Amino acid sequence: MGLSSILHINDLKALGELVLSDWYVIVPFSVFLLFFSNFVEFLSLCFIGFLVGFSYISPMLYAFIEKYLPNAFAVVSKNEIIFSIAISIIFAAVFYGLYKSIIFLGSFFIGFFAVNFVVNSFAQAYVSLPWYAYVVIGAIVGLVAGFYATKNSAKFIGFLSMLLGAFFVALTLTTLFDRYVIKLNEMVFSYTAFIIALVVFLVRVRKL
């Protein structure tokens, strides 16, 4: 697997199904991040950590245990929601406790992987780039994001919270539409989710 396939547009549908299956956990956190992130910074940080832990870290660890620790998986699979919440709380606590020291690295990697995802998903059909181009472009954007976040951590956390909240709200709406109205292919699904997320985010920013 090369750098150009670290994240792929097809993964959004799977993530959308995860969000919908655990909507009672993910949606309230997403709504808080979207509408109330500018009120209490430490809550926003904890909620970001919990949301990322629940939607990404927990499934990754779950798959790891299933593959490499079959004995432990027998126990975990019976208490999957408890496992997910526990891992998310731990990740949220770690994220909050270390965010001041890792804000630069976190922003760098967010910028790096975001550019990698966008270029790989939307630009690859028009421009063929060598692997090192992803590294250079991602590193430049990551450095800019890292320096900006370090100087404006409170604003950055609010911005990131609203962006993450808008994304998960849009992903939920798109998945509901895909499941109950019209079945969408991966490309249309992803474009729809991104457009809705962008509109929701811009409306929220304008309200501020």
Side-chain angles (χ1 to χ4, degrees):
M1 180 180 294
L3 282 171
S4 62
S5 57
I6 290 175
L7 290 172
H8 196 274
I9 199 167
N10 294 345
D11 296 336
L12 280 183
K13 264 205 167 186
L15 181 58
E17 290 298 327
L18 170 66
V19 169
L20 205 58
S21 64
D22 297 312
W23 66 268
Y24 49 88
V25 176
I26 295 179
V27 172
F29 280 83
S30 302
V31 171
F32 177 90
L33 290 176
L34 180 60
F35 291 104
F36 305 107
S37 60
N38 56 314
F39 293 146
V40 187
E41 184 181 356
F42 85 92
L43 272 182
S44 296
L45 285 166
C46 291
F47 281 14
I48 289 174
F50 186 93
L51 199 56
V52 173
F54 198 92
S55 62
Y56 182 71
I57 304 298
S58 174
M60 184 173 63
L61 288 177
Y62 189 82
F64 177 86
I65 293 172
E66 182 179 15
K67 186 174 182 180
Y68 297 105
L69 302 170
N71 293 332
F73 179 74
V75 177
V76 171
S77 61
K78 294 178 182 178
N79 304 279
E80 184 179 352
I81 187 66
I82 296 176
F83 169 80
S84 298
I85 291 175
I87 294 298
S88 302
I89 291 174
I90 293 171
F91 184 79
V94 171
F95 182 77
Y96 174 72
L98 298 179
Y99 92 100
K100 284 295 185 184
S101 61
I102 66 172
I103 189 72
F104 178 86
L105 287 177
S107 304
F108 175 87
F109 284 115
I110 288 172
F112 181 90
F113 287 115
V115 169
N116 183 273
F117 178 82
V118 171
V119 173
N120 179 52
S121 299
F122 299 104
Q124 200 173 50
Y126 309 100
V127 181
S128 179
L129 298 175
W131 66 269
Y132 54 81
Y134 293 95
V135 176
V136 173
I137 297 172
I140 293 173
V141 175
L143 286 172
V144 172
F147 284 121
Y148 175 82
T150 302
K151 294 185 67 175
N152 304 275
S153 62
K155 291 181 181 179
F156 178 76
I157 291 301
F159 175 84
L160 180 61
S161 298
M162 288 187 289
L163 190 60
L164 198 62
F167 172 74
F168 276 101
V169 167
L171 196 59
T172 303
L173 294 175
T174 307
T175 306
L176 285 170
F177 184 86
D178 177 71
R179 179 181 289 188
Y180 298 111
V181 183
I182 299 175
K183 202 71 176 176
L184 306 173
N185 63 42
E186 285 82 1
M187 182 64 72
V188 174
F189 181 95
S190 301
Y191 272 111
T192 302
F194 274 112
I195 291 171
I196 294 175
L198 182 61
V199 170
V200 171
F201 174 73
L202 291 177
V203 169
R204 177 67 184 121
V205 170
R206 187 175 181 181
K207 289 290 184 183
L208 288 177

